[in-house]
Amino acid sequence: MPAPRTVLLTGAAGGLGTLMRGLLPAYGYELRLFDVHPVDGEPDAITADLADTDALREAVRGVDAIIHLAGISLESTFDKILRANIQGTYNLYEAARAEGVARTVFASSNHAVGFTPRPRGDDPLIPVDTPRRPDTYYGLSKCFGEDLAQLYWDLHGLETVSVRIGSCFAEPSTVRMLSVWLSPEDCARLFHAALTAENVGHTVVYGSSANTRLWWDLTSARALGYEPQDDSEQYAEKLVAAQGPLDPARPDHAYLGGQFITDPPRWPH
Ligand SMILES: NC(=O)c1ccc[n+]([C@@H]2O[C@H](COP(=O)([O-])OP(=O)(O)OC[C@H]3O[C@@H](n4cnc5c(N)ncnc54)[C@H](O)[C@@H]3O)[C@@H](O)[C@H]2O)c1
C-alpha cells in the first residue's frame, strides 16, 4: 500500500481530534475533517452526523485512509451508544468499502477490556488477546468496532489498526493515568505508524506511552514501527503525594477500567 496522504479525521472537533489536527500535518498528511459539531477555525470541515450515510460516502471519497475518532466517548444509554458508536461505525465502514478506502485507524479503548484485573507486582503485562471484558456500553461498542474491523478485513480486505487508547491528554491527572497515559505526541507517532505499516490486516494494539508503570503489552504497537518517546513517571511523585497510591481493595483501582468500573463519567448530551 502506498503511504497515505489524504486522511479523513472523524471526530475532528473533539479533544483528541483537536490534538491530532495540531500534530498530524507535520507527518505530511492532508486532513479532511468531519464532526457533528463545527470545527473551530476550520470552515471547510464537514459538519455531519455519522447517521448521514450520504455525507459519509462523500466524506470518504478520494481519501487514502481514515482515522475514526467520532462517537460517544463516555458512558451513555444503550440507545445513544447504539446510534453513534455501533450504527455510526458500521455506516463509516460501509462508506469506506463502497469507496475503496484501504486503511482505517479505529479509536478503540481500554474500556473494551476494562473489567480485566490490572497487573500487580511481577504479574505479566496484559496482552492484546486477553478476553474482552467491557466495563460499560461504551466499552461494548468498542468491542463491536474491533469485530467489525476484523469482519471487513476478512470479508472485504479493508485494513484496520484498532488502537485501545488509554488516556490521551497533555498530562496525566490521576495515579491510574500514570499507567495508561498516551502523550499527544506519542499518539500522533502511533497513528502515523498505524497508517503506514505494511500488511496490518486487522491489528489490535494498546495505545500508551512508554510508561514505567505500564499495565499492557505494547509489542503489537511496536511491531507497526511505533516507538513511544514519553513516560508518565515524571508526574508520579506529585500525583502519588496528592492522591496516595492505588488501593487494590478498591474496584476502581483494581481493574484496568478505573472509574468506569464503579461510576463511569456520563456523556452530557
Ligand atoms: N481521549 C482519550 O483518552 C480516549 C481514550 C480512549 C478512547 N478514546 C476514543 O477516541 C475518540 C476521541 O476521543 P475524544 O476524547 O476526543 O472524545 P470527544 O468526546 O472529545 O470527541 C468525540 C467527537 O465525536 C463527535 N461525535 C460524537 N457523535 C458523533 C456523531 N454521531 N457523528 C459525528 N460526530 C460525532 C463529537 O462531536 C466530538 O467532537 C473516541 O472514539 C473515544 O472513544 C479516547
Side-chain angles (χ1 to χ4, degrees), residues 205-261:
V205 305
Y206 289 110
S208 65
S209 289
N211 302 318
T212 300
R213 299 171 193 231
L214 193 65
W215 285 343
W216 42 63
D217 186 350
L218 293 179
T219 302
S220 63
R222 289 183 185 276
L224 301 174
Y226 171 56
E227 290 181 15
Q229 303 294 310
D230 295 315
D231 182 344
S232 62
E233 203 57 20
Q234 58 179 307
Y235 304 100
E237 195 179 326
K238 198 174 109 193
L239 285 170
V240 174
Q243 300 173 11
L246 293 180
D247 173 2
R250 285 177 50 172
D252 58 330
H253 288 185
Y255 295 93
L256 292 188
Q259 192 199 346
F260 278 56
I261 298 294

Side-chain angles (χ1 to χ4, degrees), residues 14-16 35-37 49-50 69 71 73 108 138 142 166-168 267:
L16 197 47
D35 201 291
V36 72
H37 290 124
D49 196 291
L50 290 167
L69 306 180
S73 57
S108 184
Y138 164 71
K142 298 302 186 182
S167 291
C168 186
W267 185 248

Side-chain angles (χ1 to χ4, degrees), residues 10-19 34-37 48-51 68-74 83-85 88 106-111 138 142 163-169 182 191 267 269:
T10 76
L16 197 47
T18 300
L19 291 166
F34 182 103
D35 201 291
V36 72
H37 290 124
D49 196 291
L50 290 167
H68 180 39
L69 306 180
I72 292 175
S73 57
L74 301 170
R83 188 175 174 281
N85 292 17
F106 169 58
S108 184
S109 168
N110 69 91
H111 297 292
Y138 164 71
K142 298 302 186 182
V163 183
R164 288 182 187 157
I165 301 168
S167 291
C168 186
F169 298 96
L182 174 64
F191 284 178
W267 185 248
H269 309 294

Side-chain angles (χ1 to χ4, degrees), residues 111-158:
H111 297 292
V113 292
F115 260 115
T116 308
R118 71 167 168 90
R120 290 188 220 163
D122 291 334
D123 290 351
L125 297 174
I126 306 295
V128 282
D129 61 357
T130 195
R132 263 131 29 150
R133 300 180 70 171
D135 53 27
T136 42
Y137 294 133
Y138 164 71
L140 184 63
S141 75
K142 298 302 186 182
C143 295
F144 171 83
E146 292 184 8
D147 281 348
L148 184 77
Q150 184 67 49
L151 177 69
Y152 271 59
W153 165 242
D154 289 332
L155 203 56
H156 303 303
L158 265 58

